[in-house]
Amino acid sequence: IQSFPGVASTPAFRNDVIVRGGGPNENRFYIDNVEIPYLNHFSTQGSSGGPVGIINVDFVQSVDFISGAFPASKGNALSSVLNFTFLDGNRDKIKTRATIGASDLGLTIDGPTGKRSTLLLSVRRSYLQFLFSAIGLPFLPNYTDFQLKYKIRLNDKNELTVIGLGAKDDFKLNLDANETEYQRYILDYIPVQEQYSYTTGLVYKHFRKGGYDTWVLSRNYLNNSQYKYAGNVESPENKILDYLSGEGEIKTRFERTILGENGLRINFGGGAEYAHYRNSTFRLLYVPAGEFEINYNTNLKIGKFSAFGQVSKPYLNERLRLSFGARTDFN
């Protein structure tokens, strides 16, 4: 994706997507119509980037990258929309695969779960903490993730897809690595961090003559915590940082797609969301005048509603496509 026109390159240890000068938080990511806000381990809160991707690329069938003229059904995008399509599980027999990578172990299960249903399931666990400890680094990162796609064909006109994606990240200190000035400097300022995130979604499709209806219901959540003690001595009087934040959303969306003659396509629908953000921050700063304490708490709840519609039609033997869309959002 970073090789596409308009996409800026980023440091090798980051998976940020920066499109046409926008921020990494201005992109929207979808897997089979389910929005995925967090798709990297050790994610930067409020953004989408991180050093290690969560998505198992073996599951990916295709990716639509849209850097302008976003579909009206995809709201809140300022820079780009990336829509991942996962493979369906194979219908023949259960297949398993174990992998050993440079930094993690993985297990994948792929196969039928009935006459009309299939399952893709992947679990991964890193062993970076052992490698980092062996080479004497003062921090020990560790991550675990899972993802699944379950699809069942209820009958000839109805199907249900379940999408799941989750990650747990731990960033601890290696207090034994304090022999050099550089190691002691790192240990002195890096906090201990714990983070987990997940997204689950249901996608129900009803096929009709000349089109189909899509219902999407999803839930996502990110919990992020950090703490730090002066001298890494864990006692109440030494605490200089205590950060706890959680943000979650429940989303529902309905779309009706009508496929007309000569390539005419009509899509319209609406959606509703409930978002909840909480934050508790304590931080002790040392300034020339002395100690300066930050104490911050918030508990924010937001309701969101949207309506959209779009019409498109090809001309000149598919060499030209005209599209008109409209969308309105209310918070």
Side-chain angles (χ1 to χ4, degrees):
I1 291 171
Q2 290 186 352
S3 66
F4 288 171
V7 182
S9 61
T10 58
F13 57 89
R14 294 286 300 182
N15 290 331
D16 297 297
V17 179
I18 299 174
V19 182
R20 306 194 192 283
N25 60 327
E26 297 180 358
N27 309 290
R28 291 296 172 263
F29 305 92
Y30 293 82
I31 295 179
D32 289 330
N33 286 307
V34 175
E35 186 172 353
I36 309 293
Y38 325 109
L39 71 171
N40 281 288
H41 288 288
F42 304 104
S43 176
T44 304
Q45 189 169 354
S47 182
S48 57
V52 181
I54 297 175
I55 293 178
N56 186 339
V57 294
D58 292 334
F59 283 16
V60 178
Q61 176 177 292
S62 62
V63 183
D64 295 324
F65 174 68
I66 306 168
S67 60
F70 312 125
S73 61
K74 304 294 191 290
N76 220 19
L78 292 175
S79 290
S80 74
V81 172
L82 280 84
N83 193 20
F84 295 84
T85 300
F86 273 7
L87 294 164
D88 293 339
N90 82 86
R91 298 182 176 276
D92 299 328
K93 62 179 182 179
I94 294 289
K95 298 179 181 179
T96 59
R97 179 172 60 185
T99 58
I100 301 178
S103 59
D104 52 48
L105 308 171
L107 177 66
T108 302
I109 300 174
D110 170 17
T113 56
K115 292 182 179 180
R116 293 177 173 266
S117 60
T118 60
L119 175 68
L120 274 175
L121 174 64
S122 172
V123 180
R124 184 171 55 168
R125 172 79 172 179
S126 78
Y127 51 84
L128 279 175
Q129 69 274 27
F130 303 116
L131 298 176
F132 280 40
S133 178
I135 61 179
L137 290 178
F139 48 88
L140 304 175
N142 184 32
Y143 61 82
T144 305
D145 63 50
F146 81 93
Q147 51 210 284
L148 67 87
K149 178 179 180 179
Y150 172 78
K151 187 173 184 179
I152 180 170
R153 188 82 173 184
L154 302 172
N155 51 47
D156 292 340
K157 291 187 177 182
N158 299 279
E159 69 178 27
L160 178 67
T161 302
V162 180
I163 296 292
L165 190 74
K168 188 177 188 305
D169 308 318
D170 297 310
F171 193 93
K172 298 182 179 180
L173 299 179
N174 181 12
L175 298 180
D176 295 329
N178 62 354
E179 300 173 356
T180 68
E181 184 177 348
Y182 173 74
Q183 290 174 327
R184 289 191 290 270
Y185 170 74
I186 296 294
L187 289 173
D188 188 52
Y189 83 88
I190 286 187
V192 176
Q193 178 177 346
E194 298 175 355
Q195 184 181 95
Y196 67 86
S197 64
Y198 65 84
T199 302
T200 57
L202 300 175
V203 182
Y204 171 73
K205 280 192 174 184
H206 172 69
F207 298 92
R208 59 178 68 246
K209 184 178 180 180
Y212 55 90
D213 295 340
T214 305
W215 294 86
V216 182
L217 175 64
S218 66
R219 158 74 172 171
N220 63 71
Y221 186 76
L222 171 70
N223 189 87
N224 196 12
S225 65
Q226 297 180 9
Y227 65 86
K228 185 67 178 176
Y229 293 88
N232 297 311
V233 178
E234 297 190 7
S235 61
E237 61 272 12
N238 287 334
K239 181 177 288 187
I240 57 177
L241 173 66
D242 189 358
Y243 173 86
L244 176 62
S245 178
E247 52 186 76
E249 296 174 311
I250 299 174
K251 304 184 178 187
T252 181
R253 187 174 78 254
F254 167 75
E255 296 183 38
R256 170 162 291 185
T257 302
I258 299 173
L259 306 175
E261 297 180 356
N262 301 319
L264 176 68
R265 183 185 179 94
I266 302 172
N267 176 268
F268 63 90
E273 302 178 20
Y274 169 74
H276 185 194
Y277 172 75
R278 58 182 176 82
N279 186 307
S280 173
T281 300
F282 167 80
R283 184 159 191 171
L284 191 62
L285 301 176
Y286 297 96
V287 296
E291 294 182 353
F292 179 71
E293 182 179 300
I294 295 175
N295 254 316
Y296 175 77
N297 286 276
T298 187
N299 191 18
L300 179 65
K301 301 175 182 179
I302 306 175
K304 308 179 183 181
F305 306 92
S306 63
F308 53 84
Q310 190 155 356
V311 179
S312 63
K313 192 176 187 303
Y315 297 93
L316 303 177
N317 294 323
E318 299 282 350
R319 288 182 291 177
L320 172 67
R321 175 178 289 273
L322 298 181
S323 175
F324 174 78
R327 180 183 177 92
T328 181
D329 289 88
F330 173 76
N331 298 318

